[in-house]
Amino acid sequence: MSSMKKSNKKIFNVLWSSRDFGGAEIYVETMRKTWGTETIALENLSIKEILSLTYNISFGSDNYIFHDIRAALLGFFSPNRKHITVVHGPGRSILITKVIIFLQAFIQKKVILVSSNIFQMQINKRLLVLENFSTAGIQTDDTTNDAIYFGRISESKGVYKMLNFWVEHEVLGKLHVVGDGNLLNELMECFSNQSNICFYGSKSHSEIAIIASKCRYYVSFSEREGLSLSLLEAMDGGLIPLVKNIPSQSFVYEIDGIPSIDGTIIELVAQILAIDSFTKNDRKTLQKNIQNIIRARFRNKWINTWSDLLNVRPINQKQK
């Protein structure tokens, strides 16, 4: 790794919202904890403050990292290859996302994609695929066979299908649903009488970790993801993933013993019940394999690459 020099320049992560559970928000919070970066949420700023921020981006000495497509638009005000854009997923319009990636690859210091599936063309060396990583301090104690979903509560995430599956199979543990979104109130009313479904609404990162640590499984029926930080955080804590086998999540199925939710419902239930019947040591071995895969493939590379890009050591490492 290159030598790290002290600098008076600040590093700001700029994103649209300040939600506790969104992918970009979790990514930014992990950067804050790891390198002491600061965060700017555009939705909380007045027009005057946005104009002041734009001026600082264009003419100031600080460094900015733009997350999500709306924040990335500010990068066009400083076409001097100084700042960084991070693209967390395909967005609502793949075409618009691809256009912004293409253009910013010529004007930014780096454009980072969290998954190679977002943009396949290698334009130049400033376009970098750096797979996601985040840790939330989750550590499953495996005392229950409960499951958790934490993320956006919307139709695109397959939440309704997931809840129906869980309700129809009460032999499984409870499903803890954490997050906010346009379907939350409707789903809370629809499933209000189901004893094996627990809704929490929006929770902080630390509160999610407490709930997740009491679960055995992380579940998501979403069929369209960049690379889910919720999934990585859950697996980093030893939770067993129940997710779709889509390109960005194919690494999950490289782990022996992971249930497939792409087969029949009967097969999926049988696989979950089989894991529930494992001895404690056998299940612990599976959970340890899950953690090892995540840490070897994602965590070390992510931290080392960002440390080089920011020219800053993680704050928990002693300076030599």
Side-chain angles (χ1 to χ4, degrees):
M1 186 183 296
S2 61
S3 62
M4 307 293 176
K5 297 180 179 179
K6 291 185 178 180
S7 173
N8 293 325
K9 295 180 181 179
K10 293 183 179 180
I11 301 170
F12 292 96
N13 285 293
V14 183
L15 70 170
W16 175 253
S17 81
S18 55
R19 298 175 301 174
D20 290 318
F21 55 85
E25 291 81 5
I26 293 172
Y27 195 102
V28 165
E29 177 62 11
T30 301
M31 294 190 74
R32 185 191 68 80
K33 291 178 179 178
T34 307
W35 293 282
T37 58
E38 300 187 35
T39 303
I40 298 173
L42 295 175
E43 70 173 357
N44 298 330
L45 301 184
S46 65
I47 296 296
K48 183 178 179 180
E49 288 171 326
I50 290 176
L51 291 174
S52 177
L53 172 63
T54 303
Y55 179 87
N56 291 334
I57 289 170
S58 301
F59 304 107
S61 61
D62 294 324
N63 297 118
Y64 292 87
I65 305 168
F66 307 107
H67 299 263
D68 73 43
I69 296 306
R70 285 172 290 188
L73 296 176
L74 292 174
F76 289 110
F77 290 94
S78 183
N80 53 12
R81 299 179 184 173
K82 177 183 175 183
H83 305 306
I84 297 172
T85 294
V86 182
V87 181
H88 293 268
R92 295 183 180 180
S93 170
I94 289 181
L95 178 59
I96 292 175
T97 300
K98 288 184 175 181
V99 169
I100 289 177
I101 291 171
F102 181 86
L103 295 176
Q104 296 219 348
F106 293 96
I107 65 172
Q108 298 287 54
K109 177 181 178 180
K110 287 288 183 183
V111 175
I112 294 177
L113 312 179
V114 302
S115 171
S116 60
N117 300 298
I118 299 173
F119 191 85
Q120 284 78 34
M121 187 188 307
Q122 185 59 49
I123 303 169
N124 55 40
K125 293 182 179 180
R126 286 184 291 278
L127 187 62
L128 173 66
V129 176
L130 180 61
E131 292 177 306
N132 263 355
F133 179 75
S134 179
T135 183
I138 296 169
Q139 188 58 59
T140 178
D141 60 11
D142 199 44
T143 57
T144 74
N145 61 343
D146 289 2
I148 186 171
Y149 168 82
F150 54 100
R152 187 153 38 90
I153 312 298
S154 65
E155 187 175 351
S156 65
K157 296 296 184 179
V159 178
Y160 193 84
K161 184 177 180 180
M162 176 185 69
L163 292 174
N164 274 329
F165 166 76
W166 219 262
V167 166
E168 291 170 5
H169 300 90
E170 292 189 8
V171 67
L172 306 176
K174 290 184 178 180
L175 175 60
H176 303 267
V177 182
V178 184
D180 200 356
N182 57 7
L183 280 184
L184 179 59
N185 291 335
E186 177 184 333
L187 293 177
M188 288 179 66
E189 182 177 351
C190 182
F191 294 94
S192 60
N193 296 323
Q194 303 301 326
S195 60
N196 63 337
I197 304 290
C198 302
F199 290 97
Y200 293 83
S202 179
K203 293 291 182 182
S204 69
H205 217 195
S206 58
E207 289 172 322
I208 292 172
I210 293 171
I211 300 168
S213 293
K214 299 176 182 178
C215 298
R216 178 174 293 163
Y217 300 98
Y218 168 82
V219 59
S220 172
F221 278 34
S222 176
E223 297 185 358
R224 187 181 179 188
E225 293 286 346
L227 181 54
S228 169
L229 285 178
S230 297
L231 170 63
L232 297 186
E233 289 185 347
M235 293 178 69
D236 183 62
L239 271 66
I240 300 166
L242 306 174
V243 297
K244 300 289 287 185
N245 189 2
I246 56 179
S248 63
Q249 296 174 167
S250 60
F251 68 92
V252 171
Y253 289 92
E254 297 172 8
I255 306 170
D256 291 336
I258 297 298
S260 171
I261 71 171
D262 293 297
T264 67
I265 297 298
I266 294 175
E267 291 172 338
L268 174 57
V269 173
Q271 290 172 325
I272 295 173
L273 293 178
I275 292 176
D276 288 342
S277 66
F278 281 3
T279 66
K280 187 173 183 179
N281 284 339
D282 286 344
R283 198 161 47 243
K284 187 174 181 180
T285 297
L286 173 59
Q287 292 165 333
K288 196 65 179 177
N289 288 341
I290 290 169
Q291 290 177 308
N292 290 340
I293 286 284
I294 287 298
R295 292 170 185 179
R297 175 165 179 168
F298 298 102
R299 181 171 66 177
N300 295 342
K301 181 180 178 182
W302 189 82
I303 289 176
N304 290 339
T305 300
W306 271 113
S307 292
D308 281 343
L309 286 172
L310 301 176
N311 200 30
V312 178
R313 289 190 187 279
I315 56 179
N316 63 350
Q317 291 185 8
K318 291 182 179 180
Q319 296 289 338
K320 294 183 178 181

